[in-house]
Amino acid sequence: QLQLQESGPGLVKPSETLSLTCNVSGDSIKSNNYYWGWIRQPPGKGLEWIGSLYYSGDTYYNPSLKSRVTISVDTSTNQFSLRLISVTAADTALYYCARHTSIGFTSGSYASWFDPWGQGTLVTVSS
Amino acid sequence: SSELTQDPAVSVALGQTVRITCQGDSLRNYYASWYQQKPGQAPVVVIYGRNNRPSGIPDRFSGSSSGSTASLTITGAQAEDEADYYCNSRDSSGPVVFGGGTKLTVL
């Protein structure tokens, strides 16, 4: 059964770098047709997609965060990571990792979804 | 900009049918996926693709789409369905977007 688990510091100082890792177990991160994504949720607010990555290194990011975000993969450890620079209090959130499926149909339609999700890890930005 | 719009809150009487909607231009080409999030828990996908339910999701959950509007329908809502529901899609240029969420209250 595929499981994802986030890990990393729970407290980051303003202007510093937030770094999180997602450990994937139960399947290879090199599985075809799957991306791996990061999503965050500020306390009491909605979900915000941060970015997604394919095991080959192909990445795409939320345009609003693109200048500060890097998502990378380590296939040897079956993990992928998030790096967010120059954080502020607005980056305080519950950070989730998830497997991201994105496929096209012969009809010309597409589908994209996240499943499963990790349990999430709270990162607070504060001095 | 890419946006998905949801009603902030919806209520339904126990056992009745409720429809939660999501509007956005990207939905003309992308099927919406729907997530249920209960307090203190990670989101769980309940509908993806045209109208697919992951194993373990009750068949009272269904999805549909028309033009730029996607809908999640719960037929015979149960008390345990009270939760926040988010829609999700991709913009044609690539970015992924989530709706703002709908808080469902089961009366």
Side-chain angles (χ1 to χ4, degrees):
Chain A
Q1 180 184 359
L2 178 66
Q3 292 186 316
L4 293 87
Q5 177 69 58
E6 306 88 351
S7 62
L11 181 64
V12 181
K13 289 182 169 55
S15 80
E16 296 190 345
T17 297
L18 179 160
S19 295
L20 297 175
T21 296
C22 181
N23 185 68
V24 178
S25 61
D27 195 9
S28 171
I29 204 167
K30 295 192 290 185
S31 294
N32 285 336
N33 299 320
Y34 292 124
Y35 281 73
W36 304 90
W38 287 98
I39 304 102
R40 70 180 183 179
Q41 184 172 35
K45 296 188 177 181
L47 301 169
E48 179 181 36
W49 172 71
I50 300 170
S52 295
L53 159 145
Y54 195 64
Y55 78 89
S56 62
D58 180 31
T59 54
Y60 60 114
Y61 301 122
N62 186 325
S64 69
L65 298 170
K66 187 175 182 178
S67 64
R68 299 194 293 129
V69 172
T70 302
I71 298 176
S72 58
V73 64
D74 186 341
T75 56
S76 67
T77 58
N78 223 38
Q79 296 177 332
F80 64 106
S81 299
L82 169 69
R83 187 169 176 266
L84 181 66
I85 65 172
S86 305
V87 297
T88 69
D91 295 310
T92 293
L94 196 54
Y95 284 77
Y96 296 100
C97 60
R99 186 177 67 180
H100 181 190
T101 304
S102 185
I103 60 175
F105 300 97
T106 54
S107 63
S109 295
Y110 301 87
S112 170
W113 68 94
F114 295 90
D115 178 56
W117 296 55
Q119 67 184 26
T121 187
L122 179 63
V123 178
T124 301
V125 179
S126 175
S127 55
Chain B
S1 63
S2 306
E3 287 187 356
L4 294 177
T5 302
Q6 298 182 241
D7 291 328
V10 171
S11 62
V12 61
L14 184 67
Q16 296 303 300
T17 296
V18 62
R19 177 174 292 183
I20 299 171
T21 61
C22 175
Q23 292 187 307
D25 287 341
S26 64
L27 299 177
R28 296 185 183 278
N29 294 310
Y30 268 92
Y31 291 112
S33 53
W34 290 93
Y35 304 84
Q36 177 192 71
Q37 186 179 35
K38 297 181 179 179
Q41 298 182 17
V44 173
V45 64
V46 294
I47 293 290
Y48 65 92
R50 186 172 183 177
N51 181 20
N52 301 104
R53 280 178 290 104
S55 62
I57 302 300
D59 61 5
R60 62 179 179 270
F61 290 88
S62 64
S64 62
S65 182
S66 178
S68 62
T69 300
S71 300
L72 172 69
T73 300
I74 307 175
T75 303
Q78 302 300 302
E80 60 264 32
D81 300 334
E82 187 163 289
D84 293 328
Y85 290 86
Y86 295 90
C87 61
N88 163 240
S89 180
R90 276 187 72 174
D91 182 77
S92 57
S93 61
V96 173
V97 290
F98 283 93
T102 297
K103 182 178 183 60
L104 176 66
T105 300
V106 180
L107 304 172

